[in-house]
């Protein structure tokens, strides 16, 4: 079954601090992925940090690890590090931005936006705050607002990040050639830094995929992962490989990734496409995970993307898939989310709902060749 790659739910949150990035950021970023995992986490730190500086450093390490491993449970560790200042009106601006990053990674987008507004009122020169706000605007398909946030990044002196921010936002609106040229130039600019190269290479790969240039995207994904392994980029590349019916290659890309829901879904789909019955126990595992979340009384909306993929790919339940995809689209509007809503509404036979999604996509202004068959006919 064909689909666009995983764009990550928290899209490109460029971060100026520690660690990875949207593709192994230059010591940055999170978009966090969405799902529980089952392997053992590192030992919990024994005491909460006592100062804002220590709290920020600890939270950044956990957010970086969440990004690198595509494991959202590390975000809970980041929140624990920030607990003394979490939600406090007098919290320092940098801690508010970290709080918003955690909220964003959990798909608590309204809360993240409110937290960022407080941070930027406290310190309008908080570059990381503007970058995170740009990510939230992209996730909501508010591209003009995203560009405005990117320009604020430039206004406060972070030219490299501002340029990448604008290029990604404009690529989503169809300026693929400009994005290719811009990301290529940025990659040359940071040639001596493998993590920065990996991050920019991941952005380039996603842009090339949106442009329909799969071979170029494939090469960019491989270069990015060679420069610096990264969980987000591995998922994105695996999605591209699955879409191109290269299931065994997708399995190889995911070989060393932790067993998050997102990873298990793609492993199961790859195995199913290969005719390997080992996909069935993975499905039972995923079903048990979601049942456990429901039994704990936790909301399932943050897992709607994964539940939609499970129902569509592996359970043969298009109506259930559409229900989850509709919930997910209300939360986030990245290319994968549009694809899910279009595919599931079409397969469920709900013609009116399908037409409504097509019209909403047209109004959003996203330009992605993977969605072209729904954008060229009857979208008005």
């Amino acid at each position: 079954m064909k689909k666009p790659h995983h764009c990550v739910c928290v899209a490109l949150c460029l971060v100026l601090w520690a660690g990875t990035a949207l593709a192994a950021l230059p010591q940055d970023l999170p978009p966090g992925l969405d799902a529980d995992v089952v392997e053992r986490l590192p030992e919990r730190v024994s005491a909460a940090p006592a100062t804002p500086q220590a709290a920020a450093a600890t939270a950044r390490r956990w957010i970086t690890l969440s990004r690198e491993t595509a494991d959202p449970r590390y975000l809970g560790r980041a929140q624990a590090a920030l607990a003394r200042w979490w939600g406090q009106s007098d919290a320092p601006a940098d801690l508010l931005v970290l709080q918003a990053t955690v909220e964003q990674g959990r798909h608590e987008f309204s809360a993240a936006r409110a937290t960022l507004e407080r941070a930027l009122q406290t310190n309008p020169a908080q570059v990381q705050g503007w970058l995170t706000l740009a990510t939230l605007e992209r996730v909501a398909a508010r591209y003009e607002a995203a560009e405005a946030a990117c320009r604020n990044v430039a206004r406060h002196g972070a030219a490299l990040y501002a340029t990448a921010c604008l290029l990604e936002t404009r690529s989503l609106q169809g300026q693929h050639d400009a994005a290719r040229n811009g990301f290529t130039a940025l990659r040359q600019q940071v040639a001596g830094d493998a993590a920065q190269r990996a991050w920019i290479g991941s952005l380039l790969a996603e842009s090339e995929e949106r442009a329909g240039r799969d071979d170029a995207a494939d090469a960019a994904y491989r270069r990015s992962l060679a420069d610096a392994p990264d969980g987000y980029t591995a998922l994105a590349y695996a999605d591209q490989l699955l879409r191109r019916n290269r299931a065994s290659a997708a399995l190889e890309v995911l070989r060393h990734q932790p067993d998050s829901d997102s990873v298990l879904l793609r492993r199961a789909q790859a195995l199913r496409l290969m005719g390997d019955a080992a996909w069935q126990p993975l499905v039972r595992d995923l079903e048990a995970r979601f049942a456990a979340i429901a039994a704990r009384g936790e909301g399932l909306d943050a897992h709607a993307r994964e539940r939609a993929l499970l129902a569509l790919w592996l359970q043969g339940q298009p109506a259930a898939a559409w229900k989850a995809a509709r919930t997910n689209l209300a939360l986030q509007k990245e290319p994968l989310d549009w694809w899910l809503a279009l595919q599931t509404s079409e397969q469920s036979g709900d013609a009116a709902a399908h037409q409504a999604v097509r019209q909403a996509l047209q109004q959003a202004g996203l330009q992605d060749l993977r969605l072209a068959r729904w954008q060229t006919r009857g979208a008005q």
Side-chain angles (χ1 to χ4, degrees):
M1 190 163 299
K2 296 191 175 184
K3 69 178 189 62
H5 77 281
H6 173 85
C7 273
V8 140
C9 146
V10 274
L12 284 182
C13 176
L14 310 171
V15 186
L16 293 175
W17 21 268
T20 102
L22 274 196
L25 230 226
Q27 305 204 330
D28 312 28
L29 179 109
L33 288 166
D34 2 34
D36 287 343
V37 295
V38 296
E39 72 272 11
R40 178 174 301 181
L41 301 178
E43 292 301 316
R44 185 178 297 275
V45 291
S46 57
T51 67
Q53 295 79 9
T58 301
R60 287 166 182 157
R61 287 198 298 270
W62 288 119
I63 291 170
T64 293
L65 190 57
S66 176
R67 162 68 195 189
E68 289 174 341
T69 62
D71 181 349
R73 294 203 301 178
Y74 291 121
L75 297 176
R77 303 292 182 82
Q79 180 174 353
L82 298 169
R84 185 174 301 183
W85 297 271
W86 189 274
Q88 298 301 309
S89 59
D90 60 347
D94 60 335
L95 297 193
L96 289 172
V97 171
L98 288 166
Q99 175 180 330
T101 300
V102 172
E103 291 167 335
Q104 176 208 11
R106 292 172 169 168
H107 296 179
E108 298 167 4
F109 297 127
S110 295
R113 181 180 298 276
T115 304
L116 282 174
E117 288 173 355
R118 288 166 49 210
L120 292 169
Q121 286 173 358
T122 301
N123 179 10
Q126 236 292 346
V127 168
Q128 182 56 61
W130 290 114
L131 285 167
T132 306
L133 181 60
T135 293
L136 288 174
E137 302 293 14
R138 281 193 295 267
V139 169
R142 292 192 288 260
Y143 301 128
E144 289 185 10
E147 288 198 25
C150 296
R151 286 192 290 273
N152 273 307
V153 176
R155 188 170 295 121
H156 295 293
L160 173 69
Y161 292 89
T163 300
C165 184
L166 285 167
L167 287 171
E168 192 210 353
T169 305
R170 290 170 180 171
S171 171
L172 287 161
Q173 299 171 85
Q175 297 183 35
H176 304 304
D177 289 343
R180 167 188 269 186
N181 294 336
F183 285 133
T184 300
L186 285 183
R187 199 168 187 278
Q188 293 170 347
Q189 182 179 332
V190 300
D193 187 321
Q196 294 253 11
R197 289 199 313 271
W199 160 54
I200 294 169
S202 179
L203 300 183
L204 173 61
E206 292 185 300
S207 181
E208 294 288 69
E209 244 197 299
R210 287 191 289 270
R213 298 189 281 242
D214 279 331
D215 289 343
D218 186 282
Y221 279 126
R222 285 187 281 105
R223 284 195 303 268
S224 175
L225 289 169
D227 283 332
D230 175 72
Y232 172 86
T233 305
L235 279 171
Y237 187 27
D239 274 359
Q240 197 233 27
L241 293 168
L242 288 172
R243 181 172 58 81
R244 300 175 75 192
N245 297 314
R246 296 176 58 192
S248 61
L251 277 180
E252 182 61 29
V253 167
L254 297 174
R255 177 194 294 269
H256 299 297
Q257 296 304 308
D259 291 339
S260 69
D261 295 352
S262 297
V263 168
L264 288 188
L265 274 165
R266 287 154 178 83
R267 284 180 179 152
Q269 173 68 343
L271 290 166
R272 188 187 69 81
L273 293 174
M274 294 167 63
D276 187 330
W279 69 273
Q280 295 171 346
L282 296 182
V283 171
R284 290 193 290 271
D285 186 353
L286 287 162
E287 291 170 342
R289 291 182 184 201
F290 293 133
I293 292 170
R296 292 195 298 267
E298 300 176 15
L300 284 168
D301 285 1
H303 304 272
R305 178 189 280 177
E306 283 68 36
R307 292 190 295 114
L309 287 171
L310 176 64
L312 178 66
W313 284 349
L314 303 165
Q315 294 175 320
Q317 299 176 1
W322 161 233
K323 182 179 179 180
R326 180 174 54 202
T327 297
N328 178 62
L329 192 65
L331 287 174
Q332 53 188 346
K333 296 177 175 64
E334 296 187 89
L336 176 57
D337 306 308
W338 287 110
W339 177 86
L340 260 177
L342 289 161
Q343 188 77 15
T344 58
S345 61
E346 184 175 69
Q347 290 196 14
S348 70
D350 191 336
H354 181 68
Q355 184 64 14
V357 175
R358 293 180 69 168
Q359 290 174 342
L361 174 62
Q362 193 82 357
Q363 292 166 4
L366 172 66
Q367 296 297 317
D368 189 319
L369 264 289
R370 296 166 298 182
L371 306 176
R373 76 178 183 88
W374 290 295
Q375 291 182 301
T376 55
R377 295 179 288 103
Q380 299 298 330

